Amino acid sequence: MTKRNPHLARLQKSYLFPMIHQRKQEYLAAHPGVSLISLGIGDTTQAIAPHVVEALKAASERLGTQEGYSGYGPEQGDPLLRKTIASHFYGERINPQEVFVSDGAKCDIGRLQLLFGREARIAIQDPAYPVYGDGSLMQGTTDIHFLPCLPENSFFPQFDRSLKVDLIYICSPNNPTGTAATRAQLQKLVAFAKEQRAIILYDAAYAIFIQDPELPRSIFEIEGAREVAIEISSFSKIAGFTGVRLAWTVVPDTLQFEDGSPVIRDWSRIMTTLFNGASNISQKGGMAVLEPQGWREVTQQVAHYLENAAILKQALESKGLDVFGGVHAPYLWVRFKGRNSWDVFQEFLEKLHIVTTPGVGFGPSGEGFLRLTAFGLRPQILEAADRITNFSFS
Ligand code: PL4
């Protein structure tokens, strides 16, 4: 009889976000007619920007003509899009051949783990986007170190020399804590990775939310990072492409394995073997996002989400709660000291009719916290702020 992959047995029965969706559905089934506000899963809500929609329409229409039809494209992505991503986000630091276009940051995070195998020793921020840990467990990795990120260390791990690791997952601006790493923190991280001969997997999916020009939007702004880092990013939160699907990963040609072989060669092998290229329609949409008109429109949308965050933050703080994040990120990380995250989640669901995400779902250091996203539509954000302001928290 066929044996189950034993590594799958090490995962929790359900993935965090379907669990939240299920709780929401159960509550709605038992309380029909209740007007729930969803501030749980970090999904965009604003319609796709007009300039980008035009490009998506034009790309679809071209496919309907014999001259304009195209089938499979290069697995690494449209060369023009790779070139534009390189110059738009990285200037001279990254060349187009180092950019690999894909169907999602989440998918790339899963595939990247194939580069290192199950022997890799891994460090993950705690709390963190669950895919880093769950994806590693699925690969059979056993040596995983969770690095607590709390208000006391400004939500950034301390890198102690006694920590021996091969891979370090870092997300900035961070999901779920909403904090963005400073230049000094990233300089220390790069120095540590160099010393350990480790590789940093840097998730920059929310980089566009950074408002302070002093805060790095890419790990490659840090000197020496080309020798120790891979960066993952996405159009999902830049342009509301969570459903359209488009992302990219940068693997510098200067990054090497212990044996001196280039990591980019294996990444190219993995992508050309297991991936058939991002949708040609999405890629045309991505090009439009990076044109001046598209960029103006998407940055306005990002500003709107950050205003949402400010509205929610003010409401929560008016109740005397400690609220972190929400300035350079679309997430608010709210402390409910001494309380169980799932209990607070349930309280928000049942009493305020607001769906959130319990902090502990992102790791043990998230216990006692709740994550709220600012990706709602403005009338719902205002309604949520009103409900919070008028509620007596225990
Ligand atoms: C719900 C740090 C959200 N079903 O859209 P992608 O694949 O390009 O990017 C996914 C992603 C990558 N990196 C980070 C992220 O936070 C996300 C999206 N996270 C959230 O609420 O935490 C959506 C989650 C989705 C999922 O499981 O990813």
Side-chain angles (χ1 to χ4, degrees):
M1 184 133 181
T2 311
K3 283 198 181 120
R4 182 186 186 207
N5 174 349
H7 307 310
L8 294 177
R10 296 164 61 215
L11 298 170
Q12 277 184 1
K13 218 164 114 206
S14 292
Y15 180 57
L16 174 65
F17 296 108
M19 245 150 79
I20 288 165
H21 183 68
Q22 190 189 337
R23 288 221 185 188
K24 176 180 160 184
Q25 292 309 115
E26 281 169 5
Y27 188 77
L28 276 177
H31 304 86
V34 160
S35 123
L36 281 188
I37 299 175
S38 280
L39 303 180
I41 297 171
D43 199 358
T44 45
T45 53
Q46 292 181 75
I48 290 181
H51 184 72
V52 182
V53 171
E54 285 311 312
L56 292 170
K57 282 201 294 204
S60 308
E61 277 164 15
R62 261 196 311 277
L63 289 176
T65 65
Q66 208 49 62
E67 320 76 71
Y69 176 76
S70 64
Y72 293 124
E75 288 88 350
Q76 299 92 334
D78 178 334
L80 184 59
L81 179 59
R82 297 173 80 190
K83 190 169 169 230
T84 312
I85 289 173
S87 61
H88 186 97
F89 293 103
Y90 306 103
E92 298 292 302
R93 295 187 186 100
I94 295 297
N95 70 60
Q97 289 70 41
E98 296 171 321
V99 175
F100 293 77
V101 175
S102 80
D103 55 345
K106 181 177 177 176
C107 324
D108 277 353
I109 294 162
R111 286 184 287 251
L112 276 166
Q113 283 157 335
L114 291 171
L115 282 169
F116 310 104
R118 71 179 63 154
E119 303 302 323
R121 299 163 299 174
I122 295 180
I124 300 179
Q125 288 170 290
D126 169 23
Y129 182 42
V131 183
Y132 313 145
D134 282 1
S136 305
L137 287 174
M138 283 181 191
Q139 294 283 333
T141 310
T142 51
D143 202 344
I144 305 182
H145 300 259
F146 290 96
L147 310 178
C149 293
L150 295 159
E152 294 71 35
N153 59 5
S154 307
F155 298 105
F156 199 80
Q158 312 290 336
F159 292 102
D160 190 310
R161 280 193 173 153
S162 62
L163 177 72
K164 300 291 173 207
V165 287
D166 303 300
L167 289 180
I168 308 163
Y169 282 90
I170 293 290
C171 176
S172 177
N174 188 263
N175 175 17
T177 65
T179 47
T182 63
R183 192 168 298 275
Q185 285 170 330
L186 294 182
Q187 282 164 341
K188 276 191 194 150
L189 167 69
V190 167
F192 176 77
K194 280 202 159 171
E195 197 181 286
Q196 294 276 322
R197 304 188 67 198
I199 289 178
I200 301 162
L201 296 174
Y202 192 80
D203 188 338
Y206 301 98
I208 193 174
F209 289 88
I210 292 180
Q211 300 302 299
D212 181 349
E214 291 303 310
L215 295 171
R217 283 189 172 191
S218 162
I219 189 71
F220 298 118
E221 289 182 37
I222 307 300
E223 210 185 313
R226 281 184 54 89
E227 280 69 50
V228 290
I230 290 174
E231 181 163 300
I232 306 128
S233 203
S234 172
F235 284 86
S236 280
K237 309 296 158 63
I238 291 177
F241 272 25
T242 51
V244 174
R245 310 303 301 150
L246 191 66
W248 73 93
T249 286
V250 176
V251 182
D253 59 14
T254 38
L255 184 68
Q256 295 178 345
F257 289 113
E258 186 187 44
D259 65 3
S261 65
V263 175
I264 191 171
R265 196 171 64 200
D266 284 344
W267 181 241
S268 192
R269 182 72 167 86
I270 288 171
M271 288 302 272
T272 49
T273 309
L274 297 182
F275 182 60
N276 249 340
S279 145
N280 44 15
I281 301 173
S282 314
Q283 294 191 72
K284 292 292 181 212
M287 280 299 301
V289 169
L290 303 181
E291 284 163 9
Q293 178 63 20
W295 193 251
R296 263 192 301 278
E297 290 173 2
V298 298
T299 45
Q300 275 166 17
Q301 295 191 331
V302 165
H304 188 82
Y305 288 133
L306 286 176
E307 280 167 23
N308 284 349
I311 293 167
L312 290 172
K313 196 175 170 80
Q314 196 183 27
L316 290 156
E317 282 176 346
S318 76
K319 307 308 288 184
L321 294 163
D322 289 333
V323 187
F324 305 93
V327 178
H328 304 293
Y331 295 119
L332 297 168
W333 190 237
V334 192
R335 180 150 56 179
F336 292 85
K337 226 174 183 166
R339 293 194 62 193
N340 172 293
S341 289
W342 277 109
D343 288 349
V344 186
F345 168 88
Q346 210 57 35
E347 181 171 79
F348 266 70
L349 180 64
E350 291 174 9
K351 307 267 173 57
L352 291 157
H353 297 156
I354 298 175
V355 182
T356 60
T357 308
V360 74
F362 297 98
S365 296
E367 185 56 287
F369 287 86
L370 204 63
R371 190 194 79 172
L372 275 71
T373 93
F375 283 122
L377 290 172
R378 182 61 55 82
Q380 286 151 9
I381 293 291
L382 290 172
E383 171 63 23
D386 208 42
R387 289 183 195 177
I388 290 165
T389 309
N390 293 313
F391 184 70
S392 297
F393 288 94
S394 46

